[in-house]
Amino acid sequence: GSGIESTGWFRASDGVEEKADNALILSRLCALQWVVVLYENVVPSSLKPEFSSEFIDCILYQLVDLPPGIIVVKSFEVLGKITQVEMADVTLEPIAQLPEQCAISPMDEDSVKFALGILDVSQRKRLSRDRSVFASLIDLHSKHSKLMGDVSKVIELMCTLQAPEFVFMSFAIELDNFILSRMKRREKVLESPDADTQAVKRELASFAKALAFVSNFAQQLG
């Protein structure tokens, strides 16, 4: 294999607390598997989107503690399963016509649907119902810079679980949404009559940090 599954991908084992670590790993793996069991066998279809949304952030937040690779892999496997598009929603025929606005707004939803619509049917079955995981991942990495060193490994892992085209497009769109939201916030602060010099400086510094983050993340996609 690629070595992604090995303990120590994100953190080296010191050996002293190995027994306790093994118990913790087993406990986390069991908890993660139970999320899948509940999703597939208990939660009705109408509630599955709401159910999965409750777990996305808490599962991803485990990355902040730099867990062993086996936990990381299992976490993304679980996220892939509980966010997978329902088979009834999979379009069997590709979208034949390119939306006219693609030339103007290549990142809008119609353009995305067209791009994913030309995928092979077997690949379309491996998509998520939305891009919540990608948006949450970007937000998490923007707040915890120590995670940036493993972004390429995370992307590689996600591409084994879902269609790579969907993974890269989703990250591109959510990075765009991330910086657009920061631009709107900056504009709001700069136009506010109540914003003093210090508030403006803080916002400009925050925006510069957001730009640097997006640039760094985008390089990892390359």
Side-chain angles (χ1 to χ4, degrees):
S2 63
I4 288 177
E5 299 84 354
S6 61
T7 301
W9 179 36
F10 278 75
R11 181 194 62 187
S13 175
D14 55 18
V16 177
E17 300 178 351
E18 184 176 354
K19 189 173 182 179
D21 284 349
N22 288 339
L24 179 59
I25 289 173
L26 289 175
S27 176
R28 287 193 181 187
L29 291 175
C30 182
L32 287 167
Q33 185 58 34
W34 264 109
V35 173
V36 176
V37 171
L38 291 173
Y39 179 83
E40 294 181 342
N41 302 289
V42 178
V43 180
S45 296
S46 60
L47 296 178
K48 285 186 175 182
E50 182 180 352
F51 175 86
S52 63
S53 67
E54 293 293 327
F55 284 94
I56 290 175
D57 285 337
C58 62
I59 290 176
L60 288 177
Y61 197 78
Q62 293 181 104
L63 297 179
V64 177
D65 295 327
L66 305 180
I70 191 173
I71 297 297
V72 178
V73 173
K74 183 64 176 179
S75 296
F76 280 100
E77 287 178 347
V78 171
L79 288 171
K81 289 179 180 179
I82 68 174
T83 62
Q84 189 172 25
V85 65
E86 294 290 328
M87 289 307 301
D89 298 329
V90 174
T91 303
L92 297 181
E93 296 297 330
I95 300 175
Q97 186 174 1
L98 179 68
E100 293 181 0
Q101 63 269 33
C102 282
I104 302 174
S105 303
M107 299 298 284
D108 66 16
E109 292 298 328
D110 287 336
S111 302
V112 172
K113 289 179 181 178
F114 171 79
L116 296 178
I118 63 178
L119 287 176
D120 182 81
V121 174
S122 63
Q123 291 298 302
R124 275 179 269 159
K125 295 175 182 178
R126 301 173 63 207
L127 307 184
S128 296
R129 69 173 65 90
D130 55 36
R131 297 185 298 271
S132 299
V133 171
F134 300 89
S136 293
L137 262 175
I138 289 171
D139 183 66
L140 183 70
H141 283 73
S142 72
K143 296 174 180 176
H144 301 276
S145 58
K146 66 180 180 180
L147 301 178
M148 287 302 297
D150 288 310
V151 167
S152 60
K153 294 178 182 177
V154 168
I155 295 171
E156 179 184 358
L157 171 60
M158 294 180 75
C159 286
T160 66
L161 300 172
Q162 294 184 306
E165 296 88 343
F166 175 71
V167 172
F168 281 96
M169 180 168 289
S170 295
F171 273 128
I173 294 169
E174 292 308 325
L175 279 174
D176 192 53
N177 290 337
F178 175 85
I179 201 62
L180 285 175
S181 68
R182 296 305 186 275
M183 290 173 66
K184 291 179 181 178
R185 189 176 71 182
R186 180 190 61 170
E187 183 178 354
K188 183 177 180 180
V189 171
L190 294 179
E191 293 179 351
S192 174
D194 299 324
D196 56 21
T197 303
Q198 292 301 317
V200 171
K201 286 184 177 180
R202 285 195 299 269
E203 180 55 34
L204 291 177
S206 176
F207 184 72
K209 183 179 179 181
L211 280 177
F213 161 73
V214 170
S215 177
N216 190 0
F217 201 105
Q219 289 178 26
Q220 302 295 327
L221 290 173

